[in-house]
Amino acid sequence: EERILRMDEADNFWAAGPTGPCGPCSELYWDFHPERGTEGADLDDDNRFIEFYNLVFMETSRDAGGNMTPLARKNIDTGMGLERMAQILQGKPNNYETDLIRPIIDKAAAMAGIS
């Protein structure tokens, strides 16, 4: 329970744009420093947390007037970032240091004559 944070609509609602399908969402974060505890934890601290998975519960459609109507076919949209999972599994401080991206950076640097 202490590791579950309840958030308001500003932080926990997804929309494709000002109109169209939308709904509440859940986000899963990886804590690189769980030893620091949960009190005062800030999910915007990129040195500590990374969002790696989300679920959007598409339930409504918003019209140009801001009115919400239930979708005829509700669904759940999920997403996980491959580069973020690589960062977590490889224990790297950022995505650029993973074996997915570092070789590309190294090759581009070599081609540009930068070390």
Side-chain angles (χ1 to χ4, degrees):
E1 289 278 329
E2 71 181 31
R3 296 183 68 137
I4 298 173
L5 302 176
R6 305 279 178 213
M7 302 171 120
D8 60 16
E9 185 176 320
D11 291 314
N12 243 133
F13 194 85
W14 186 89
T19 61
C22 53
C25 64
S26 292
E27 298 168 339
L28 281 68
Y29 287 81
W30 181 261
D31 185 351
F32 288 100
H33 299 285
E35 71 279 1
R36 295 181 186 170
T38 57
E39 190 167 334
D42 178 6
L43 293 176
D44 290 328
D45 179 354
D46 293 337
N47 292 315
R48 179 170 177 185
F49 297 103
I50 187 170
E51 177 193 340
F52 68 93
Y53 190 77
N54 64 45
L55 301 106
V56 179
F57 302 91
M58 298 288 204
E59 299 176 347
T60 56
S61 182
R62 185 179 339 205
D63 66 22
N67 302 304
M68 308 281 263
T69 56
L71 289 173
R73 294 198 171 127
K74 296 173 175 62
N75 64 81
I76 300 172
D77 177 62
T78 67
M80 177 184 289
L82 176 63
E83 75 288 351
R84 294 174 184 196
M85 280 309 299
Q87 178 185 349
I88 291 166
L89 293 172
Q90 295 173 25
K92 299 295 184 179
N94 59 62
N95 295 337
Y96 305 106
E97 300 300 322
T98 66
D99 63 5
L100 291 173
I101 300 175
R102 186 80 239 170
I104 297 168
I105 294 171
D106 291 344
K107 179 68 174 181
M111 292 172 68
I114 302 170
S115 57

